[in-house]
Amino acid sequence: MRLFMMTAVGLWCSISNADTNVPLQSAIDDIEQRLVRVQVTPTEVVVADLEVLLGESKNNLGASHSVTLLVQHELGVQYLLRDPQKALDILNSNRLLFEQQNLNTEVYRGTLYNTVTALQSLHRYEEALAFSTTLVESQMHLGRRYAGRLLGLKQYIEVALVLAEYDLAEQALHTLQRLQKVQLGSQHPDLLRTASLQGLILMERGELDASAKILQKVFQKQQRSLGMDAVDTLSTQHHLGQLFRLQGETEQAEHLLEDVLSRRTKVLGVDHPDTIASMNNLALLYLDMGLFTKSEQLLETCLHTLEADVGKVHPNTIAVLNNTAQLYLEEGRFVEAKNLFEQVKTLEEQILPKTHPDLIRTTQNLAMSYVQLGDLNRAEDSLQTMIEVCRERLGAIHSLSLSLQSNYASVLLLQGRYEQMESVLQEVYAQQLATLGDTHLETVATQSSLINLYIVEGRLEQADQLVSQTLEKISNAHELSHPTYLQLVQDRAMI
């Protein structure tokens, strides 16, 4: 967790109230000197010392005096890692006193930064984004060379990404890139890190080709300048592995994700958050490949570590729970899948807005568990609602929108609404061919759904033709033991 800490030394000239009263100045000097000593005190006693100092500063100087506000800010920072709610209460009190006096000082901006950090720790992301916006706006008048603007923009992008506010994140990222070139120079490693983040944003928005161009270029530069084991290089490699998985390039994705997991384990340790993220994404890839045992082993390790380190109500833990429920669904453990998806949805609703893509995915997966358990009406209602939400949030051709429509079509098949189903599937299939290609697993899944429809309707010649085309494509791109391939072989036998 990055904290914005102040030091009393050298700061007084910028925050002083310009008091000329000698006894008052003496009290100020005394508190300043003691604050310096407290800041080098061992951690276990620093909070108690700061609380004493804060009480004296309030009594001698007043609650709104700049030195009192500095001491109160430092106390809030100390509580961030121990008790985020108490830290937030202290920092909010500080912020309000600054705003009442219309003061935009370094301590005020530090208070805003750490307020956002506290809200992130408490998973109150929409509030965090609002305060992060205030911080970024409060720094704009300080010019392009003010270093604090880089920290403020990075934090803003981080919060915006959690909320899937990709347009806001991308706008802030472009500003960050311009400022980094001014402050750091065009060859600084931080510019590559920011470019890698740009590739990630494009990937999350579904712009996979544009993402690939940026990430591959950044990865090559980082390999040359930083080395394969550098944290930034591993981060870009991780993003590339995710990208290849989304593009259906399972062999390339497997190579990259297995390698980055091995390197992160060696460089960062098995319990590091980045290592756990690699495990989770490799588990997802194994799930796509039908390697359920390997996937479950990794997910169990992730879940055990995350629940111990950050608890259950945390985006990373929830993501692993969701992936575990998806595994249960693929394995045919439908009741377990439904129960876990319902648990995940409840947790996500506590920390994410209703239109967040993660919540949309969970609702979709929960609907598919309803399908497997025979509750078609409930599944249909959920999918129709999410299709509209997703189209408005991400657009009609985003992969998540297409996935929702494809699953909705499977419900129509079971309800015997064949004409409507075919119309939906043909639309989805056309978009997937254009955006994902004909060997992507999601495209193949849509072809498989069309085959099932043709079989049910007795259009066996069309079904046989499509099965032959699909089997040829998938056998060249994926393992013959993959569940999708085996299902197609079974479909052919039915014909």
Side-chain angles (χ1 to χ4, degrees):
M1 180 186 294
R2 187 188 294 113
L3 308 178
F4 193 106
M5 302 186 72
M6 313 298 300
T7 56
V9 179
L11 184 63
W12 177 244
C13 61
S14 67
I15 66 170
S16 174
N17 288 338
D19 294 302
T20 56
N21 181 284
V22 174
L24 182 59
Q25 187 63 53
S26 176
I28 292 170
D29 292 343
D30 175 63
I31 290 171
E32 270 200 298
Q33 292 166 10
R34 289 167 63 193
L35 178 57
V36 172
R37 291 196 296 271
V38 166
Q39 288 172 328
V40 296
T41 301
T43 304
E44 59 271 15
V45 296
V46 69
V47 169
D49 287 350
L50 281 170
E51 286 178 336
V52 170
L53 195 56
L54 179 61
E56 292 185 16
S57 187
K58 285 181 177 179
N59 289 334
N60 295 329
L61 305 177
S64 61
H65 192 281
S66 52
V67 172
T68 306
L69 295 175
L70 172 59
V71 176
Q72 187 158 266
H73 171 267
E74 294 301 302
L75 181 61
V77 170
Q78 291 298 326
Y79 271 110
L80 272 173
L81 296 176
R82 313 153 183 254
D83 187 343
Q85 183 58 59
K86 185 160 187 176
L88 181 62
D89 293 340
I90 293 169
L91 292 165
N92 269 334
S93 174
N94 226 37
R95 177 183 58 79
L96 290 171
L97 288 167
F98 272 111
E99 290 173 355
Q100 286 169 10
Q101 301 176 79
N102 199 28
L103 295 175
N104 184 3
T105 68
E106 191 74 5
V107 184
Y108 171 64
R109 293 187 290 274
T111 298
L112 282 173
Y113 184 94
N114 288 310
T115 297
V116 174
T117 302
L119 288 165
Q120 287 177 286
S121 296
L122 296 166
H123 315 304
R124 292 160 59 177
Y125 297 109
E126 291 178 290
E127 293 174 74
L129 186 62
F131 282 113
S132 188
T133 302
T134 302
L135 171 61
V136 169
E137 290 173 349
S138 75
Q139 296 172 326
M140 291 178 67
H141 74 285
L142 297 168
R144 296 186 300 169
R145 294 194 174 276
Y146 173 62
R149 290 188 69 184
L150 301 184
L151 279 177
L153 284 165
K154 288 176 184 177
Q155 187 186 56
Y156 178 90
I157 293 167
E158 182 180 305
V159 178
L161 283 176
V162 172
L163 291 170
E165 295 288 353
Y166 302 128
D167 289 344
L168 296 178
E170 190 169 31
Q171 291 167 14
L173 184 135
H174 291 320
T175 302
L176 176 62
Q177 287 175 317
R178 290 195 298 270
L179 293 178
Q180 284 177 326
K181 287 176 183 177
V182 171
Q183 295 188 25
L184 306 175
S186 60
Q187 301 303 313
H188 196 281
D190 278 9
L191 270 83
L192 289 176
R193 184 185 306 154
T194 304
S196 181
L197 185 58
Q198 182 181 16
L200 174 63
I201 292 171
L202 289 169
M203 178 169 59
E204 294 290 352
R205 292 175 63 168
E207 299 177 35
L208 302 186
D209 290 341
S211 174
K213 289 179 182 178
I214 291 174
L215 290 175
Q216 287 172 337
K217 185 177 179 180
V218 170
F219 187 48
Q220 290 170 0
K221 289 183 176 180
Q222 288 175 329
Q223 284 177 292
R224 291 195 301 268
S225 61
L226 303 175
M228 282 298 299
D229 288 339
V231 172
D232 285 355
T233 309
L234 292 172
S235 178
T236 303
Q237 183 178 346
H238 177 77
H239 297 335
L240 267 174
Q242 290 176 284
L243 176 69
F244 285 135
R245 173 185 162 263
L246 291 173
Q247 290 179 318
E249 302 289 345
T250 54
E251 186 175 338
Q252 289 177 278
E254 184 178 17
H255 169 72
L256 285 173
L257 291 175
E258 286 184 343
D259 183 64
V260 78
L261 175 58
S262 174
R263 292 178 184 276
R264 277 179 164 174
T265 301
K266 179 181 70 175
V267 174
L268 303 173
V270 70
D271 293 337
H272 191 278
D274 288 352
T275 308
I276 297 301
S278 290
M279 285 186 195
N280 183 47
N281 280 289
L282 184 56
L284 269 180
L285 177 66
Y286 287 154
L287 182 58
D288 290 344
M289 298 169 67
L291 303 174
F292 298 146
T293 301
K294 294 177 75 172
S295 180
E296 187 164 16
Q297 288 171 348
L298 286 176
L299 289 171
E300 285 177 353
T301 301
C302 290
L303 191 58
H304 175 76
T305 303
L306 287 169
E307 286 185 338
D309 288 351
V310 297
K312 212 162 198 174
V313 188
H314 187 280
N316 295 345
T317 311
I318 295 170
V320 174
L321 285 170
N322 187 67
N323 295 339
T324 303
Q326 183 66 37
L327 171 68
Y328 293 162
L329 192 62
E330 294 292 335
E331 289 183 319
R333 298 156 63 179
F334 302 131
V335 174
E336 290 175 86
K338 179 187 79 73
N339 291 340
L340 191 50
F341 279 133
E342 288 177 339
Q343 181 183 339
V344 168
K345 187 179 179 185
T346 298
L347 292 171
E348 286 178 335
E349 286 173 340
Q350 294 177 31
I351 65 172
L352 298 176
K354 292 180 180 179
T355 60
H356 194 283
D358 287 354
L359 190 51
I360 295 172
R361 288 189 186 94
T362 300
T363 305
Q364 172 185 232
N365 292 332
L366 179 58
M368 297 316 295
S369 70
Y370 293 152
V371 170
Q372 296 297 337
L373 294 170
D375 195 347
L376 300 183
N377 291 335
R378 193 174 183 185
E380 182 184 6
D381 290 343
S382 294
L383 289 170
Q384 283 183 321
T385 300
M386 287 302 103
I387 286 170
E388 293 306 313
V389 170
C390 195
R391 280 176 172 169
E392 184 175 342
R393 183 73 162 77
L394 300 173
I397 64 171
H398 191 279
S399 59
L400 182 53
S401 294
L402 297 177
S403 176
L404 284 160
Q405 291 178 74
S406 183
N407 285 322
Y408 175 58
S410 68
V411 175
L412 295 174
L413 174 65
L414 294 171
Q415 292 175 328
R417 295 153 66 183
Y418 303 140
E419 185 176 345
Q420 188 178 352
M421 175 193 178
E422 184 170 11
S423 174
V424 171
L425 284 178
Q426 292 291 1
E427 180 183 347
V428 170
Y429 184 50
Q431 294 291 354
Q432 287 174 332
L433 283 176
T435 58
L436 301 176
D438 60 2
T439 62
H440 194 284
L441 288 173
E442 290 187 19
T443 310
V444 172
T446 302
Q447 289 174 307
S448 181
S449 296
L450 279 168
I451 291 165
N452 288 333
L453 173 63
Y454 295 156
I455 291 172
V456 170
E457 289 190 314
R459 297 154 64 182
L460 300 183
E461 186 175 340
Q462 284 179 274
D464 186 53
Q465 184 180 3
L466 190 53
V467 167
S468 298
Q469 294 172 357
T470 308
L471 279 172
E472 182 179 354
K473 291 170 185 174
I474 196 172
S475 63
N476 293 330
H478 304 287
E479 296 288 339
L480 299 186
S481 60
H482 193 281
T484 303
Y485 181 85
L486 297 176
Q487 181 60 51
L488 287 166
V489 172
Q490 184 178 336
D491 290 341
R492 165 165 274 183
M494 290 174 61
I495 297 170

